[in-house]
Amino acid sequence: MLPPEIIPTIYVFTQLGLNGSRLGYMLVIAGTRLGVVIFLAAGFVRTLPHAFEEAAQLDGANKWQIYWRMVLPVLTPVLFTGAVMLIISVWNDFYFALFLLRGSQTATLPLTLYFFASSSTHGVSWNLVFAHVVPTSLPLVLVHLVLQRRVLAGLTEGGVTG
């Protein structure tokens, strides 16, 4: 079973000369994953009161100053949440990477783990597969360790009102 968008994507990328390239893969990931972040950000910005912008305009701020100095700092938790969702989603992506990337030079780490586990002709050597899982999962573990406080702060930020 192929996801329905794979065949036309491969056809278009072949016509553009992007089939099997990292740039083509990044374009597909951006096109399929950024919608969720835009949805979250747009929903959050719609909840901001209009008095927020009006107060900044009364102080003499133009549209760009309102965005950079007022809206963007308030939007940071939503953008951070979207970034974490993007990181996890892209890391777990298998089908697009399998069909759009060619060769071991452009393969993602989960894809190399799949190739490694399925390359044995005499059965799967689970000890070697699990030894490969450790370096494959290491980047996500490091991201979690670095961003753990920020995630917990974002989860509890709206919990107390008063």
Side-chain angles (χ1 to χ4, degrees), residues 22-158:
R22 289 181 183 160
L23 176 63
Y25 179 68
M26 287 189 287
L27 288 173
V28 168
I29 292 298
T32 58
R33 303 299 199 287
L34 282 180
V36 174
V37 178
I38 292 170
F39 177 74
L40 287 173
F44 183 79
V45 169
R46 284 189 189 124
T47 63
L48 292 176
H50 291 290
F52 195 65
E53 289 182 41
E54 292 170 358
Q57 286 177 345
L58 285 174
D59 288 339
N62 61 25
K63 295 282 185 186
W64 285 104
Q65 289 172 331
I66 292 171
Y67 175 73
W68 285 106
R69 294 184 181 171
M70 299 192 73
V71 175
L72 193 61
V74 173
L75 196 61
T76 1
V78 174
L79 293 178
F80 179 77
T81 302
V84 169
M85 289 173 55
L86 276 175
I87 289 169
I88 292 171
S89 174
V90 169
W91 189 262
N92 288 330
D93 179 55
F94 182 75
Y95 282 110
F96 281 125
L98 181 64
F99 294 116
L100 295 177
L101 296 175
R102 305 274 184 233
S104 61
Q105 296 294 337
T106 58
T108 60
L109 284 176
L111 196 56
T112 58
L113 178 62
Y114 167 73
F115 289 147
F116 181 76
S118 63
S119 66
S120 176
T121 57
H122 302 293
V124 179
S125 301
W126 287 108
N127 56 343
L128 298 177
V129 170
F130 284 117
H132 197 276
V133 166
V134 172
T136 301
S137 60
L138 192 62
L140 277 183
V141 171
L142 291 175
V143 166
H144 172 71
L145 291 175
V146 169
L147 302 177
Q148 178 182 3
R149 287 191 203 124
R150 186 80 186 242
V151 169
L152 290 176
L155 288 174
T156 60
E157 187 172 308

